[in-house]
Amino acid sequence: ENMLFYHMLTLYEKTFDQYGIGPSLVAQKNNLRKALLSHLKLNGLFKDHVTSTSYHQGIQAYGLVLNLFESDEVKLVIEYMKSKGFDASIILGRQVIRAYLMHQALDEAMRYLFEYEKGWGHIINLKQLTMWEGFDDIESHSHAWGLYPVRLIQEYILGIQIETSIKNTYIISPQPVDTFKHLDGQIVTEQGPLKVSYFMHDDDIDFEVNVPNGIKATFRYGQTSILIHDHFQITLKKVKL
C-alpha cells in the first residue's frame, strides 16, 4: 500500500501541477520515499512490512518500477527475483513482468508469462477465452484487467512508448524475443493508429512501422536511430540487448 500510494503521488503531481498543488504533492512523495527507504529497506531489499522478515518478489519488482533502488543494486534485486521463480499474485505479477522488461531480463519475463504451472500461460494452455481474477481458479473468470501484460508486450517488446515531453511524439524501441517470432500491434494516437510489427529470421529481423500524419516517431534498434513520419520498413541484423 505504501508503494502504491507513492506511485499515485508520482502520477498526481504531474496531473495537478497546473492547479498549483503539484509542489505539495512532491513534498509528500519525497517524505514517503524517505520513510520507505528508512523503515522498509534492509540489506538491499524491501521488507513486506515494518516487522516482517520476508521480502516478497512482487514488492522488489514494484520498487524497481518506482526507481526506489540505487543503480548498483538493480542487478542483485533482479537475481533475487529470479530465485523466487513464480511467486506473485496476478496484481503484483504485473509489476514483476514490467521490472524484468524494464531491465532487459527478457527471457525471464517470457518465462514468467508463459512457462510456470500457475499464471497467464496456464490459463492460455487451458484454452480459456476470458481472463481469470486470480490464478487458482476459485474466483471470477471475467476480469479483463488481468490482461495487462498485453500492454507491457506492446510497450517493451514492440517498444511503442510515448515521448511525454513533446506532444504527438513517440519512441519505437523494439526488443524482439524468440517467444514471438512474429509480432504486431498498434496504439491509437490523436491522429489515428500507430502500428509496429517485426518478423524474425535466423540472423535478421524485418521491422515495419506505420505512423499517421501529424505524428513523429523515432525508431531505435541497436545502433540504428531513424526519425520517421509515415510508412517505414527496414531489415537489420539481430542485436543482443
Side-chain angles (χ1 to χ4, degrees):
E1 288 81 5
N2 288 294
M3 285 190 178
L4 178 60
F5 186 42
Y6 179 84
H7 192 184
M8 293 303 101
L9 287 173
T10 301
L11 299 175
Y12 290 164
E13 71 173 85
K14 300 173 184 177
T15 303
F16 293 106
D17 185 58
Q18 60 183 311
Y19 301 110
I21 60 175
S24 173
L25 295 174
V26 170
Q28 291 182 57
K29 185 191 76 170
N30 291 340
N31 288 335
L32 180 54
R33 181 187 180 93
K34 291 177 183 177
L36 286 167
L37 295 175
S38 62
H39 296 295
L40 293 175
K41 192 176 181 187
L42 182 65
N43 298 324
L45 296 171
F46 283 97
K47 299 186 291 184
D48 292 2
H49 53 81
V50 174
T51 60
S52 177
T53 58
S54 298
Y55 302 84
H56 194 279
Q57 180 190 56
I59 298 298
Q60 313 319 312
Y62 212 174
L64 286 172
V65 170
L66 297 175
N67 294 313
L68 292 173
F69 289 100
E70 299 296 330
S71 58
D72 60 353
E73 296 176 317
V74 170
K75 184 176 180 180
L76 291 176
V77 176
I78 291 289
E79 292 304 315
Y80 174 82
M81 289 168 53
K82 289 181 181 180
S83 74
K84 295 298 180 180
F86 191 99
D87 194 36
S89 67
I90 194 169
I91 296 175
L92 283 176
R94 296 176 296 179
Q95 304 299 344
V96 173
I97 296 166
R98 181 183 285 277
Y100 282 146
L101 292 172
M102 284 177 62
H103 295 283
Q104 288 75 53
L106 305 181
D107 290 342
E108 194 62 35
M110 295 300 102
R111 188 175 300 115
Y112 205 89
L113 265 172
F114 300 116
E115 296 183 14
Y116 286 98
E117 290 184 8
K118 294 178 69 173
W120 290 273
H122 175 62
I123 296 172
I124 292 171
N125 291 335
L126 290 176
K127 302 186 185 305
Q128 296 293 298
L129 300 179
T130 56
M131 185 63 212
W132 299 358
E133 184 176 0
F135 294 134
D136 295 314
D137 196 14
I138 58 174
E139 300 161 301
S140 167
H141 280 205
S142 182
H143 272 67
W145 55 257
L147 289 171
Y148 190 80
V150 173
R151 183 186 184 282
L152 299 178
I153 291 170
Q154 167 193 291
E155 183 177 351
Y156 290 98
I157 305 302
L158 283 175
I160 307 173
Q161 302 192 17
I162 300 172
E163 176 55 74
T164 56
S165 62
I166 307 175
K167 187 177 181 180
N168 291 332
T169 304
Y170 293 79
I171 305 295
I172 313 297
S173 300
Q175 300 183 101
V177 292
D178 289 335
T179 303
F180 304 117
K181 297 294 185 183
H182 173 239
L183 188 63
D184 63 79
Q186 66 179 5
I187 65 169
V188 178
T189 74
E190 291 184 13
Q191 307 300 323
L194 186 159
K195 304 177 182 180
V196 179
S197 67
Y198 73 75
F199 193 97
M200 296 179 69
H201 305 283
D202 290 340
D203 300 311
D204 304 321
I205 306 177
D206 299 329
F207 295 99
E208 184 172 2
V209 181
N210 284 284
V211 178
N213 289 333
I215 297 294
K216 295 181 180 179
T218 300
F219 173 86
R220 295 173 181 165
Y221 181 72
Q223 299 299 312
T224 300
S225 181
I226 302 172
L227 181 64
I228 52 179
H229 300 277
D230 43 32
H231 180 249
F232 169 78
Q233 288 180 289
I234 193 171
T235 298
L236 296 170
K237 291 290 184 182
K238 285 184 181 178
V239 173
K240 184 173 179 59
L241 299 173

